Amino acid sequence: MSSKVIVTIFGASGDLAKRKLYPSLFRLYKSGNLSEHFAVIGTARRPWSKEYFESVVVESILDLADSTEQAQEFANHFYYQSHDVNDTEHYIALRQLQVELNDKYQAEHNKLFFLSMAPQFFGTIAKHLKSENIVDGKGFERLIVEKPFGTDYATASKLNDELLATFDEEQIFRIDHYLGKEMIQSIFAVRFANLIFENVWNKDFIDNVQITFAERLGVEERGGYYDQSGALRDMVQNHTLQLLSLLAMDKPASFTKDEIRAEKIKVFKNLYHPTDEELKEHFIRGQYRSGKIDGMKYISYRSEPNVNPESTTETFASGAFFVDSDRFRGVPFFFRTGKRLTEKGTHVNIVFKQMDSIFGEPLAPNILTIYIQPTEGFSLSLNGKQVGEEFNLAPN
Ligand code: BG6
């Protein structure tokens, strides 16, 4: 079914919008899930023209489009409004544009707001959306926010209150884009649709789990945000823990969002809190320096634009989580994530315990690998016999 909607993106000139939001909207358009009855309002401080905004959108989707014409047709739906989130006048102009576009595209008053901005602006934006009547109770109205959602319980809870002053809980979508990835969703299938794993997915059979998120990119244009965040807030507290919860949770009573959520929450409640000593021993932080990857020269993190030249923010983090549940007590869930590594690749290794050997040599453990990106798929390493006269074992 195709949607009728006016999407407003706050932070439309940013890296996230170009790398993720425009391509995602384009995929929906191409697959017919976004009808002709949609428009996107991009807002940010920079004074861009509609033409320039369109060219940014076209550039971000060119490799996905069948033709430049198709990319341009899509980009025609994009409008730009220079916007200072603190300026009431700007919301009045925004409302006008919203109303105009709603009429022009017959969007039935459906509205979606995406806050691709630092969280300190969430409250102000939500407040103005209500006071300037942009959120007017007509059609569906939804708000999407991404991490970072505060820096601790108190700040997250304050943010919640601010958003809830304008939107109902059911209208607020706090999203983690990793959960939209095919192979992450496939973890449910692997775990709960395959008898061979059902009975071995626990501490009696699994020795450890290794989660790797390796990125080749540096911080790109996001130095200002990233320097306040670092790998732990950017990749670990969100993507890594979400993935961990899918790997570690018990079987939900049914495949519904409430049951899945309940099981995930149990995992988080059971996360072991390391002592300071254990933190020092098991967790590592690092930062990229200048260097070469495949002959290309890269600058150091501290020389990136908008990064403090003496920054101690980590661009690499690794460590081990433990889930204190009957299923996984004592099993380390190792993680590592970093920017400017030599390759890009997200995958999970489930390393099974070694079994007793009757062959006079130790056996390699079975490893189930879930490749999330860019390669997608699974592999399971099994011990076999090497071809030849001798009886030598080889994992394959
Ligand atoms: C984002 C982080 O959440 O995820 C970025 O803020 C990171 O720093 C990105 O590059 C990685 O996502 P993907 O989908 O490109 O692997």
Side-chain angles (χ1 to χ4, degrees), residues 19-20 147 177-178 181 215 222 225-226 234-235 238-239 339 344 346 373:
R19 271 177 54 206
K20 302 286 182 201
K147 60 98 216 306
H177 80 277
Y178 260 78
K181 294 190 191 276
E215 290 193 89
R222 300 159 74 222
Y225 147 75
Y226 195 90
D234 190 53
M235 293 296 285
N238 45 339
H239 306 322
K339 293 207 178 281
K344 175 170 173 80
T346 306
Q373 63 180 27

PDB file of all heavy atoms in Angstrom, residues 19-20 147 177-178 181 215 222 225-226 234-235 238-239 339 344 346 373, ligand 1:
ATOM      1  N   ARG A  19      23.226  10.108   3.669  1.00  0.00           N
ATOM      2  CA  ARG A  19      23.673   8.713   3.575  1.00  0.00           C
ATOM      3  C   ARG A  19      22.548   7.713   3.778  1.00  0.00           C
ATOM      4  O   ARG A  19      22.576   6.608   3.256  1.00  0.00           O
ATOM      5  CB  ARG A  19      24.761   8.450   4.621  1.00  0.00           C
ATOM      6  CG  ARG A  19      26.153   8.744   4.097  1.00  0.00           C
ATOM      7  CD  ARG A  19      27.190   8.554   5.165  1.00  0.00           C
ATOM      8  NE  ARG A  19      27.128   7.252   5.795  1.00  0.00           N
ATOM      9  CZ  ARG A  19      27.542   6.992   7.023  1.00  0.00           C
ATOM     10  NH1 ARG A  19      28.038   7.943   7.772  1.00  0.00           N
ATOM     11  NH2 ARG A  19      27.473   5.793   7.524  1.00  0.00           N
ATOM     12  N   LYS A  20      21.554   8.099   4.591  1.00  0.00           N
ATOM     13  CA  LYS A  20      20.542   7.105   4.967  1.00  0.00           C
ATOM     14  C   LYS A  20      19.121   7.504   4.584  1.00  0.00           C
ATOM     15  O   LYS A  20      18.373   6.694   4.053  1.00  0.00           O
ATOM     16  CB  LYS A  20      20.570   6.865   6.490  1.00  0.00           C
ATOM     17  CG  LYS A  20      21.897   6.409   7.031  1.00  0.00           C
ATOM     18  CD  LYS A  20      22.169   4.968   6.683  1.00  0.00           C
ATOM     19  CE  LYS A  20      23.476   4.489   7.271  1.00  0.00           C
ATOM     20  NZ  LYS A  20      24.008   3.319   6.581  1.00  0.00           N
ATOM     21  N   LYS A 147      19.257   7.870  18.068  1.00  0.00           N
ATOM     22  CA  LYS A 147      20.194   8.134  19.150  1.00  0.00           C
ATOM     23  C   LYS A 147      21.031   9.379  18.812  1.00  0.00           C
ATOM     24  O   LYS A 147      21.096   9.745  17.643  1.00  0.00           O
ATOM     25  CB  LYS A 147      21.108   6.926  19.359  1.00  0.00           C
ATOM     26  CG  LYS A 147      21.950   6.558  18.127  1.00  0.00           C
ATOM     27  CD  LYS A 147      23.343   7.107  18.200  1.00  0.00           C
ATOM     28  CE  LYS A 147      23.882   7.532  16.891  1.00  0.00           C
ATOM     29  NZ  LYS A 147      23.902   6.670  15.789  1.00  0.00           N
ATOM     30  N   HIS A 177      18.533   2.091  13.352  1.00  0.00           N
ATOM     31  CA  HIS A 177      18.416   1.663  11.950  1.00  0.00           C
ATOM     32  C   HIS A 177      18.989   0.264  11.711  1.00  0.00           C
ATOM     33  O   HIS A 177      18.649  -0.386  10.740  1.00  0.00           O
ATOM     34  CB  HIS A 177      19.032   2.694  10.996  1.00  0.00           C
ATOM     35  CG  HIS A 177      20.517   2.630  10.870  1.00  0.00           C
ATOM     36  ND1 HIS A 177      21.370   3.227  11.773  1.00  0.00           N
ATOM     37  CD2 HIS A 177      21.313   2.036   9.947  1.00  0.00           C
ATOM     38  CE1 HIS A 177      22.620   3.009  11.393  1.00  0.00           C
ATOM     39  NE2 HIS A 177      22.626   2.280  10.288  1.00  0.00           N
ATOM     40  N   TYR A 178      19.806  -0.219  12.626  1.00  0.00           N
ATOM     41  CA  TYR A 178      20.334  -1.576  12.438  1.00  0.00           C
ATOM     42  C   TYR A 178      19.226  -2.622  12.467  1.00  0.00           C
ATOM     43  O   TYR A 178      19.317  -3.654  11.833  1.00  0.00           O
ATOM     44  CB  TYR A 178      21.413  -1.895  13.487  1.00  0.00           C
ATOM     45  CG  TYR A 178      22.775  -1.710  12.867  1.00  0.00           C
ATOM     46  CD1 TYR A 178      23.300  -0.433  12.704  1.00  0.00           C
ATOM     47  CD2 TYR A 178      23.500  -2.785  12.365  1.00  0.00           C
ATOM     48  CE1 TYR A 178      24.511  -0.234  12.068  1.00  0.00           C
ATOM     49  CE2 TYR A 178      24.718  -2.596  11.733  1.00  0.00           C
ATOM     50  CZ  TYR A 178      25.217  -1.326  11.589  1.00  0.00           C
ATOM     51  OH  TYR A 178      26.404  -1.134  10.950  1.00  0.00           O
ATOM     52  N   LYS A 181      17.887  -3.856   9.208  1.00  0.00           N
ATOM     53  CA  LYS A 181      18.721  -4.599   8.260  1.00  0.00           C
ATOM     54  C   LYS A 181      18.220  -6.045   8.144  1.00  0.00           C
ATOM     55  O   LYS A 181      17.904  -6.678   9.147  1.00  0.00           O
ATOM     56  CB  LYS A 181      20.190  -4.562   8.696  1.00  0.00           C
ATOM     57  CG  LYS A 181      20.787  -3.156   8.620  1.00  0.00           C
ATOM     58  CD  LYS A 181      22.268  -3.145   8.817  1.00  0.00           C
ATOM     59  CE  LYS A 181      22.800  -1.748   9.001  1.00  0.00           C
ATOM     60  NZ  LYS A 181      23.072  -1.011   7.767  1.00  0.00           N
ATOM     61  N   GLU A 215      34.225  -0.290  10.414  1.00  0.00           N
ATOM     62  CA  GLU A 215      33.919   0.711   9.380  1.00  0.00           C
ATOM     63  C   GLU A 215      35.197   1.246   8.765  1.00  0.00           C
ATOM     64  O   GLU A 215      36.181   1.481   9.474  1.00  0.00           O
ATOM     65  CB  GLU A 215      33.182   1.887  10.014  1.00  0.00           C
ATOM     66  CG  GLU A 215      31.781   1.563  10.446  1.00  0.00           C
ATOM     67  CD  GLU A 215      31.024   2.826  10.768  1.00  0.00           C
ATOM     68  OE1 GLU A 215      30.420   3.397   9.866  1.00  0.00           O
ATOM     69  OE2 GLU A 215      31.067   3.243  11.944  1.00  0.00           O
ATOM     70  N   ARG A 222      30.865  14.723  10.462  1.00  0.00           N
ATOM     71  CA  ARG A 222      30.129  14.731  11.733  1.00  0.00           C
ATOM     72  C   ARG A 222      31.016  14.918  12.958  1.00  0.00           C
ATOM     73  O   ARG A 222      30.655  14.506  14.056  1.00  0.00           O
ATOM     74  CB  ARG A 222      29.339  13.432  11.873  1.00  0.00           C
ATOM     75  CG  ARG A 222      28.333  13.249  10.765  1.00  0.00           C
ATOM     76  CD  ARG A 222      27.965  11.806  10.635  1.00  0.00           C
ATOM     77  NE  ARG A 222      27.107  11.350  11.701  1.00  0.00           N
ATOM     78  CZ  ARG A 222      27.251  10.176  12.312  1.00  0.00           C
ATOM     79  NH1 ARG A 222      28.231   9.371  11.980  1.00  0.00           N
ATOM     80  NH2 ARG A 222      26.426   9.807  13.252  1.00  0.00           N
ATOM     81  N   TYR A 225      29.397  16.400  16.180  1.00  0.00           N
ATOM     82  CA  TYR A 225      28.562  15.453  16.932  1.00  0.00           C
ATOM     83  C   TYR A 225      29.436  14.350  17.544  1.00  0.00           C
ATOM     84  O   TYR A 225      29.355  14.035  18.730  1.00  0.00           O
ATOM     85  CB  TYR A 225      27.491  14.842  16.009  1.00  0.00           C
ATOM     86  CG  TYR A 225      27.150  13.412  16.358  1.00  0.00           C
ATOM     87  CD1 TYR A 225      26.368  13.133  17.481  1.00  0.00           C
ATOM     88  CD2 TYR A 225      27.657  12.352  15.613  1.00  0.00           C
ATOM     89  CE1 TYR A 225      26.093  11.818  17.834  1.00  0.00           C
ATOM     90  CE2 TYR A 225      27.385  11.044  15.963  1.00  0.00           C
ATOM     91  CZ  TYR A 225      26.610  10.775  17.067  1.00  0.00           C
ATOM     92  OH  TYR A 225      26.352   9.483  17.421  1.00  0.00           O
ATOM     93  N   TYR A 226      30.300  13.784  16.706  1.00  0.00           N
ATOM     94  CA  TYR A 226      31.001  12.566  17.116  1.00  0.00           C
ATOM     95  C   TYR A 226      31.929  12.817  18.305  1.00  0.00           C
ATOM     96  O   TYR A 226      32.091  11.967  19.180  1.00  0.00           O
ATOM     97  CB  TYR A 226      31.794  11.995  15.937  1.00  0.00           C
ATOM     98  CG  TYR A 226      32.238  10.579  16.171  1.00  0.00           C
ATOM     99  CD1 TYR A 226      31.429   9.516  15.802  1.00  0.00           C
ATOM    100  CD2 TYR A 226      33.452  10.301  16.810  1.00  0.00           C
ATOM    101  CE1 TYR A 226      31.810   8.211  16.048  1.00  0.00           C
ATOM    102  CE2 TYR A 226      33.841   8.995  17.059  1.00  0.00           C
ATOM    103  CZ  TYR A 226      33.018   7.955  16.675  1.00  0.00           C
ATOM    104  OH  TYR A 226      33.393   6.663  16.926  1.00  0.00           O
ATOM    105  N   ASP A 234      27.987   6.076  20.072  1.00  0.00           N
ATOM    106  CA  ASP A 234      27.575   6.072  18.672  1.00  0.00           C
ATOM    107  C   ASP A 234      27.193   4.670  18.195  1.00  0.00           C
ATOM    108  O   ASP A 234      26.275   4.511  17.397  1.00  0.00           O
ATOM    109  CB  ASP A 234      28.729   6.616  17.816  1.00  0.00           C
ATOM    110  CG  ASP A 234      28.327   6.878  16.380  1.00  0.00           C
ATOM    111  OD1 ASP A 234      27.327   7.597  16.175  1.00  0.00           O
ATOM    112  OD2 ASP A 234      28.989   6.356  15.460  1.00  0.00           O
ATOM    113  N   MET A 235      27.902   3.664  18.669  1.00  0.00           N
ATOM    114  CA  MET A 235      27.707   2.312  18.122  1.00  0.00           C
ATOM    115  C   MET A 235      27.393   1.246  19.177  1.00  0.00           C
ATOM    116  O   MET A 235      26.806   0.226  18.849  1.00  0.00           O
ATOM    117  CB  MET A 235      28.976   1.865  17.381  1.00  0.00           C
ATOM    118  CG  MET A 235      29.293   2.626  16.127  1.00  0.00           C
ATOM    119  SD  MET A 235      28.059   2.450  14.825  1.00  0.00           S
ATOM    120  CE  MET A 235      28.383   0.800  14.232  1.00  0.00           C
ATOM    121  N   ASN A 238      23.739   1.458  21.501  1.00  0.00           N
ATOM    122  CA  ASN A 238      22.567   1.317  20.646  1.00  0.00           C
ATOM    123  C   ASN A 238      22.666   0.054  19.794  1.00  0.00           C
ATOM    124  O   ASN A 238      22.081  -0.982  20.119  1.00  0.00           O
ATOM    125  CB  ASN A 238      22.405   2.569  19.767  1.00  0.00           C
ATOM    126  CG  ASN A 238      23.734   3.004  19.146  1.00  0.00           C
ATOM    127  OD1 ASN A 238      24.815   2.658  19.613  1.00  0.00           O
ATOM    128  ND2 ASN A 238      23.668   3.746  18.087  1.00  0.00           N
ATOM    129  N   HIS A 239      23.441   0.123  18.673  1.00  0.00           N
ATOM    130  CA  HIS A 239      23.449  -0.988  17.725  1.00  0.00           C
ATOM    131  C   HIS A 239      23.962  -2.288  18.354  1.00  0.00           C
ATOM    132  O   HIS A 239      23.370  -3.351  18.181  1.00  0.00           O
ATOM    133  CB  HIS A 239      24.313  -0.646  16.508  1.00  0.00           C
ATOM    134  CG  HIS A 239      23.942   0.640  15.830  1.00  0.00           C
ATOM    135  ND1 HIS A 239      22.640   1.049  15.679  1.00  0.00           N
ATOM    136  CD2 HIS A 239      24.695   1.617  15.258  1.00  0.00           C
ATOM    137  CE1 HIS A 239      22.623   2.217  15.038  1.00  0.00           C
ATOM    138  NE2 HIS A 239      23.853   2.573  14.785  1.00  0.00           N
ATOM    139  N   LYS A 339      36.049   3.110  13.666  1.00  0.00           N
ATOM    140  CA  LYS A 339      36.073   3.823  12.385  1.00  0.00           C
ATOM    141  C   LYS A 339      37.483   3.781  11.835  1.00  0.00           C
ATOM    142  O   LYS A 339      38.436   3.596  12.577  1.00  0.00           O
ATOM    143  CB  LYS A 339      35.637   5.270  12.593  1.00  0.00           C
ATOM    144  CG  LYS A 339      34.170   5.378  13.000  1.00  0.00           C
ATOM    145  CD  LYS A 339      33.592   6.697  12.591  1.00  0.00           C
ATOM    146  CE  LYS A 339      32.122   6.800  12.933  1.00  0.00           C
ATOM    147  NZ  LYS A 339      31.249   6.110  11.987  1.00  0.00           N
ATOM    148  N   LYS A 344      35.344  -2.676   5.855  1.00  0.00           N
ATOM    149  CA  LYS A 344      34.006  -2.478   6.421  1.00  0.00           C
ATOM    150  C   LYS A 344      33.362  -3.839   6.523  1.00  0.00           C
ATOM    151  O   LYS A 344      33.390  -4.608   5.566  1.00  0.00           O
ATOM    152  CB  LYS A 344      33.166  -1.593   5.500  1.00  0.00           C
ATOM    153  CG  LYS A 344      31.716  -1.464   5.990  1.00  0.00           C
ATOM    154  CD  LYS A 344      30.933  -0.409   5.233  1.00  0.00           C
ATOM    155  CE  LYS A 344      29.465  -0.424   5.614  1.00  0.00           C
ATOM    156  NZ  LYS A 344      29.138   0.243   6.863  1.00  0.00           N
ATOM    157  N   THR A 346      30.222  -6.000   9.073  1.00  0.00           N
ATOM    158  CA  THR A 346      29.520  -6.284  10.328  1.00  0.00           C
ATOM    159  C   THR A 346      29.192  -7.763  10.311  1.00  0.00           C
ATOM    160  O   THR A 346      28.571  -8.256   9.362  1.00  0.00           O
ATOM    161  CB  THR A 346      28.216  -5.460  10.408  1.00  0.00           C
ATOM    162  OG1 THR A 346      28.538  -4.091  10.214  1.00  0.00           O
ATOM    163  CG2 THR A 346      27.539  -5.635  11.738  1.00  0.00           C
ATOM    164  N   GLN A 373      26.644  -7.205   6.910  1.00  0.00           N
ATOM    165  CA  GLN A 373      26.932  -6.345   5.763  1.00  0.00           C
ATOM    166  C   GLN A 373      28.420  -6.155   5.605  1.00  0.00           C
ATOM    167  O   GLN A 373      29.143  -6.312   6.601  1.00  0.00           O
ATOM    168  CB  GLN A 373      26.248  -4.987   5.910  1.00  0.00           C
ATOM    169  CG  GLN A 373      26.782  -4.227   7.114  1.00  0.00           C
ATOM    170  CD  GLN A 373      26.154  -2.872   7.308  1.00  0.00           C
ATOM    171  OE1 GLN A 373      25.038  -2.625   6.909  1.00  0.00           O
ATOM    172  NE2 GLN A 373      26.890  -1.977   7.925  1.00  0.00           N
TER     173      GLN A 373
HETATM  174  C1  BG6 B   1      25.240   5.282  12.804  1.00  0.00           C
HETATM  175  C2  BG6 B   1      26.442   5.918  13.400  1.00  0.00           C
HETATM  176  O1  BG6 B   1      24.274   5.038  13.785  1.00  0.00           O
HETATM  177  O2  BG6 B   1      25.614   4.049  12.215  1.00  0.00           O
HETATM  178  C3  BG6 B   1      27.525   6.130  12.355  1.00  0.00           C
HETATM  179  O3  BG6 B   1      26.087   7.194  13.945  1.00  0.00           O
HETATM  180  C4  BG6 B   1      27.832   4.838  11.663  1.00  0.00           C
HETATM  181  O4  BG6 B   1      28.697   6.652  12.945  1.00  0.00           O
HETATM  182  C5  BG6 B   1      26.551   4.192  11.165  1.00  0.00           C
HETATM  183  O5  BG6 B   1      28.681   5.118  10.567  1.00  0.00           O
HETATM  184  C6  BG6 B   1      26.826   2.815  10.597  1.00  0.00           C
HETATM  185  O6  BG6 B   1      25.682   2.370   9.968  1.00  0.00           O
HETATM  186  P1  BG6 B   1      25.750   1.466   8.665  1.00  0.00           P
HETATM  187  O7  BG6 B   1      24.322   1.159   8.372  1.00  0.00           O
HETATM  188  O8  BG6 B   1      26.408   2.314   7.609  1.00  0.00           O
HETATM  189  O9  BG6 B   1      26.576   0.292   9.022  1.00  0.00           O
END
